[in-house]
Amino acid sequence: MNAIIILITVGIYFILQLAVSFRKSTTANSDFFSGSRQSKWYVVAFAMIGASISGVTYVSVPGMVNKSGFGYLQLVMGFIVGQLIIAFVLTPLFYRMKLTSVYEYLSNRFGLKAYHTGAWFFFISKMLGAAVRLFLVCFILQMLAFEPLGIPFIVNVFISVGFVWLYTHRGGVKSVIWADVIKTCCLIISVALCIYFIARDMGLSLSGTFHAIGQSNMSKMLFFDDPNDKQFFFKQFLAGIFTMIATNGLDQDMMQRNLSCRNSKESQKNMIFSIILQFVVVSAFLMLGVLLYLFAAQHGMSETGDKLFPAIATGPYLPMIVGILFIVGLASSAYNAAGAALTALTTSFTIDILGGHSLSENRVKRMRQRVHLGMAILMGVVIIAINILNSTSVVDAVYTLASYTYGPLLGMFAFGIIMKQQVHDRYVPWVAIAAPVLCLILDKHSMQWFNGYQFSYEILIFNALFTFLGLCLLIRRK
């Protein structure tokens, strides 16, 4: 599959996204921030399937089955429990308080210092996480298309970020939701047809495909053997619960979609429906991963990890439609995730950090447009910096980053909901900074201090616990 066809495919997808964006364009701030709370729950639910799948999932999850098998599903099982907690604990609370940004809760519960601390932690985490995800698609497009044409990486980044800015410029969360609907369709069709063509090339029937996957040693799902192993079930399951609460329930990006439903009941239906389908879709990605490795072994290919799926899909082994589907799936997963993050960052920075909720409609609109452009430029700069650092272990990077930056948010919200006391608000930022530092020290010395124990993503739980305990020390005495 040559570079020109790849760029034409991406260009057609760009045009489709822009058409949706302009169809849903708006000038009202309430539409940009929350869709005026008029989104249909089933539309949001279908969109959320795609929203949860970034370029990282699309490329890295199939590539990691040779090392971790189906162990990723242990994390997803935890996601289901975490989603139920979000639906029945956090969502009614946020609707009752009529929040535009979920971090306004911290202001009402603690004070301005806690409010700004939560907003800044979200800003840092979401900016780095979104940049890491978009970096992956830029890296792959550079390898497949831009580099063969002699186009430098910085131009690749400029085009990608410029497109994301353009299609979210007017539509806001409405554009994001409908873009995610298109993305979900693209991903499901892409994965299903890729599995079909690879199985057909290997001479496997439908039952033969399931049998080959089941017989592979890469299909092991549950790991109960070694508590010190990062794949140990309870580590992954518990980490999945709290990761979902932190990165979805306390994340302006994801909750902005959920809070666009008409009421909390509809939002709950959307969450339950979407998490069940997410489990099915992630299972399909892992099945595809097993087939990719079996296919690679059959054809004597040496690629593994993040390079495996692109090499097979765009190589000379399968019909061109497989490569086109891969590019469409990659573009939809990466650009939509970046667009949603850009919208959420704009909302949070405008409302939480710059205090836009207290300004007039016209002033907020001008501020929001400037912030939106600034966030796009900053995202591009961060992607270029990641490329210079040459960090390509993307899945691990994203979840490790979330463990450190979402932990203080989880601890603050947990304290606010469980405890009734007030705290000395001015010291909250120090607690939020100290907790990740303690976790980093714990992680670096865990094997030495705890008889070979290695922390995985469950470090998020300790991060939140340290924050919770720190806030207990700040309780105001009567």
Side-chain angles (χ1 to χ4, degrees):
M1 189 173 181
N2 64 48
I4 300 298
I5 294 176
I6 291 172
L7 292 181
I8 290 173
T9 302
V10 174
I12 292 172
Y13 180 77
F14 278 7
I15 293 169
L16 178 62
Q17 287 286 70
L18 288 175
V20 171
S21 175
F22 282 102
R23 175 71 178 81
K24 296 294 176 181
S25 65
T26 180
T27 57
N29 291 313
S30 60
D31 280 349
F32 185 94
F33 294 141
S34 65
S36 296
R37 302 209 193 282
Q38 292 300 313
S39 299
K40 305 267 192 310
W41 73 265
Y42 47 86
V43 174
V44 179
F46 191 70
M48 288 296 288
I49 301 166
S52 62
I53 299 172
S54 66
V56 173
T57 308
Y58 189 71
V59 174
S60 295
V61 169
M64 64 195 256
V65 296
N66 67 325
K67 292 183 178 179
S68 57
F70 279 27
Y72 186 66
L73 285 180
Q74 299 177 132
L75 200 68
V76 181
M77 290 176 193
F79 289 171
I80 295 173
V81 177
Q83 184 83 312
L84 294 176
I85 294 172
I86 295 168
F88 293 99
V89 177
L90 292 179
T91 299
L93 174 66
F94 293 158
Y95 267 93
R96 191 163 60 248
M97 298 178 72
K98 299 180 180 179
L99 303 182
T100 300
S101 166
V102 297
Y103 308 113
E104 291 176 277
Y105 169 81
L106 298 176
S107 175
N108 296 334
R109 179 64 179 81
F110 299 115
L112 285 178
K113 292 290 185 183
Y115 177 32
H116 290 148
T117 299
W120 275 109
F121 265 89
F122 166 74
F123 172 77
I124 294 168
S125 178
K126 182 56 66 173
M127 178 57 74
L128 292 176
V132 167
R133 290 176 172 92
L134 191 54
F135 162 75
L136 179 63
V137 71
C138 291
F139 175 80
I140 291 173
L141 287 177
Q142 185 69 23
M143 179 177 65
L144 297 177
F146 288 96
E147 199 168 279
L149 296 175
I151 300 172
F153 186 78
I154 192 170
V155 175
N156 176 357
V157 173
F158 177 79
I159 293 172
S160 297
V161 175
F163 164 70
V164 170
W165 172 83
L166 187 62
Y167 97 80
T168 57
H169 176 60
R170 287 174 61 85
V173 72
K174 282 188 173 181
S175 288
V176 167
I177 289 171
W178 283 100
D180 281 335
V181 169
I182 297 172
K183 170 185 175 180
T184 302
C185 293
C186 291
L187 288 175
I188 292 173
I189 293 170
S190 172
V191 172
L193 291 183
C194 284
I195 289 174
Y196 168 76
F197 281 114
I198 291 172
R200 190 183 71 172
D201 184 89
M202 296 173 65
L204 297 173
S205 63
L206 180 63
S207 60
T209 300
F210 284 108
H211 180 75
I213 293 170
Q215 291 298 307
S216 170
N217 58 7
M218 292 181 283
S219 63
K220 183 179 179 181
M221 183 172 68
L222 302 176
F223 294 80
F224 291 102
D225 306 327
D226 182 8
N228 289 335
D229 185 14
K230 288 188 174 184
Q231 285 287 99
F232 186 60
F233 173 81
F234 290 107
K235 283 185 182 182
Q236 294 289 314
F237 181 72
L238 290 173
I241 294 173
F242 289 98
T243 298
M244 172 58 76
I245 295 171
T247 60
N248 276 41
L250 308 181
D251 184 295
Q252 180 63 24
D253 180 3
M254 304 303 286
M255 286 306 290
Q256 196 164 4
R257 298 170 172 89
N258 293 324
L259 295 177
S260 71
C261 293
R262 294 174 181 174
N263 53 58
S264 63
K265 295 293 184 185
E266 291 201 356
S267 187
Q268 287 167 345
K269 287 191 287 186
N270 135 54
M271 291 185 198
I272 294 168
F273 183 75
S274 65
I275 194 62
I276 293 170
L277 288 182
Q278 184 183 340
F279 184 88
V280 175
V281 172
V282 170
S283 300
F285 274 103
L286 293 168
M287 292 169 61
L288 172 62
V290 174
L291 289 177
L292 289 171
Y293 277 102
L294 295 176
F295 182 90
Q298 193 177 86
H299 289 77
M301 298 176 65
S302 59
E303 285 84 0
T304 60
D306 294 349
K307 294 183 179 180
L308 179 64
F309 194 8
I312 292 176
T314 61
Y317 313 98
L318 299 170
M320 185 181 293
I321 185 62
V322 176
I324 292 173
L325 289 171
F326 169 78
I327 296 299
V328 170
L330 180 67
S332 64
S333 59
Y335 293 129
N336 288 32
L342 192 60
T343 302
L345 285 165
T346 301
T347 299
S348 180
F349 202 87
T350 303
I351 299 296
D352 301 325
I353 295 174
L354 299 181
H357 48 67
S358 61
L359 302 177
S360 66
E361 177 82 4
N362 287 334
R363 286 189 65 188
V364 172
K365 181 181 176 182
R366 291 194 297 270
M367 180 188 292
R368 182 247 297 172
Q369 290 172 340
R370 290 195 294 268
V371 169
H372 191 238
L373 178 59
M375 291 296 150
I377 294 170
L378 181 58
M379 188 179 290
V381 171
V382 175
I383 293 170
I384 293 169
I386 293 171
N387 184 58
I388 294 171
L389 295 173
N390 197 27
S391 173
T392 55
S393 53
V394 185
V395 168
D396 189 58
V398 168
Y399 282 112
T400 301
L401 182 68
S403 299
Y404 283 95
T405 54
Y406 282 100
L409 284 172
L410 182 58
M412 285 192 285
F413 273 86
F415 183 93
I417 293 170
I418 296 170
M419 307 293 283
K420 301 302 179 186
Q421 295 91 335
Q422 291 295 321
V423 301
H424 292 284
D425 179 55
R426 64 182 180 276
Y427 298 119
V428 170
W430 295 104
V431 170
I433 293 170
V437 172
L438 286 174
C439 285
L440 184 61
I441 295 170
L442 202 63
D443 189 28
K444 293 297 182 184
H445 297 89
S446 64
M447 295 186 69
Q448 176 186 346
W449 292 349
F450 307 115
N451 195 29
Y453 184 91
Q454 294 183 64
F455 281 102
S456 182
Y457 308 132
E458 81 277 10
I459 197 72
L460 169 73
I461 302 171
F462 288 89
N463 202 338
L465 179 62
F466 290 150
T467 304
F468 189 98
L469 294 175
L471 292 176
C472 288
L473 298 176
L474 301 182
I475 291 175
R476 290 181 180 176
R477 305 301 175 188
K478 290 185 179 179

